[in-house]
Amino acid sequence: MTPPRSTLRADAQRNREQLIATAAEAFASGHPISLDAIAKRAGVGNATLYRHFPTREDLVEEVYRDQIRPLREDARTLLATKPPAQALHAWMLRFADWAGERRGICEALVAMSASGRFGTGPVCDEVQQVLAMVLEAGATAGELRSDIDPVEVGGILAGVLSVAGTPEQRPQLNRMLDVVVDGLRTR
């Protein structure tokens, strides 16, 4: 991805911000849009877009960077009120709701998981950190296994959402998450 924002020239920073704002509008519209069309709407060339965001997933992750942070507090609240395994299940459902409201995020997470890049962008990083927190609480309580990598759980969650991520699939999602959480329990 691009260098940290503080190291960008002023014009490059403006282009980057314009690309993110344009992509956010485009994704919120609910209509499919190509990266080339986003670049054109932002008033920059394709090379500028791809220099900042080499893949669609990189752009999607950046658009939703700040919107995922409240889910960390949700995880803390769930851990304070539920046993860790139940908190994990409930948090995954909240994440599914969050992802379902944001066009492109599920597809980006699946693509990143398939390429082995899950955990390398702002949304994935946040998901990984939340999962690590909940898994650690579960391991400390003796409820969840201690040998589980949060990146792998994030990849599993992305896969589950790719199969059962729509509101009408909620019963299937619940059952699949039951299986996932059960597989993470200590034996």
Side-chain angles (χ1 to χ4, degrees), residues 78-79 82-97 131 134-135 143-144 153 157 160 170-182 184-185:
L78 289 166
L79 282 171
K82 298 178 181 289
Q86 289 179 13
L88 178 61
H89 189 280
W91 185 84
M92 286 193 218
L93 287 174
R94 286 190 185 177
F95 178 77
D97 291 340
L131 289 172
V134 178
L135 292 169
E143 194 174 325
L144 297 173
V153 177
L157 179 57
V160 168
R170 190 59 169 245
Q172 181 185 7
L173 176 62
N174 256 318
R175 288 189 306 274
M176 292 174 84
L177 292 178
D178 283 341
V179 171
V180 169
V181 172
D182 189 52
L184 297 174
R185 290 184 183 274

Side-chain angles (χ1 to χ4, degrees), residues 10-168:
D11 61 331
Q13 181 63 32
R14 277 191 306 276
N15 288 343
R16 187 176 196 284
E17 289 169 1
Q18 185 60 36
L19 284 164
I20 293 168
T22 302
E25 280 181 25
F27 296 157
S29 76
H31 302 302
I33 187 167
S34 71
L35 291 182
D36 292 343
I38 290 171
K40 186 174 183 177
R41 281 188 194 177
V44 301
N46 294 353
T48 298
L49 182 138
Y50 289 107
R51 188 170 33 258
H52 288 285
F53 305 104
T55 68
R56 180 177 204 85
E57 293 78 35
D58 292 327
L59 180 58
V60 169
E61 281 254 321
E62 190 61 31
V63 165
Y64 297 125
R65 165 193 290 273
D66 295 328
Q67 296 177 27
I68 186 127
R69 292 193 178 118
L71 288 177
R72 183 185 295 250
E73 191 54 42
D74 287 348
R76 287 188 180 111
T77 300
L78 289 166
L79 282 171
T81 59
K82 298 178 181 289
Q86 289 179 13
L88 178 61
H89 189 280
W91 185 84
M92 286 193 218
L93 287 174
R94 286 190 185 177
F95 178 77
D97 291 340
W98 179 88
E101 294 167 0
R102 285 152 182 87
R103 180 163 176 75
I105 197 66
C106 282
E107 296 86 356
L109 295 175
V110 170
M112 293 177 89
S113 294
S115 70
R117 291 187 333 127
F118 189 88
T120 61
V123 171
C124 288
D125 286 345
E126 191 69 27
V127 170
Q128 181 181 340
Q129 291 170 19
V130 168
L131 289 172
M133 177 178 59
V134 178
L135 292 169
E136 183 178 321
T140 300
E143 194 174 325
L144 297 173
R145 295 170 47 182
S146 61
D147 64 336
I148 302 300
D149 184 342
V151 173
E152 292 170 350
V153 177
I156 291 167
L157 179 57
V160 168
L161 291 176
S162 74
V163 174
T166 63
E168 59 273 4

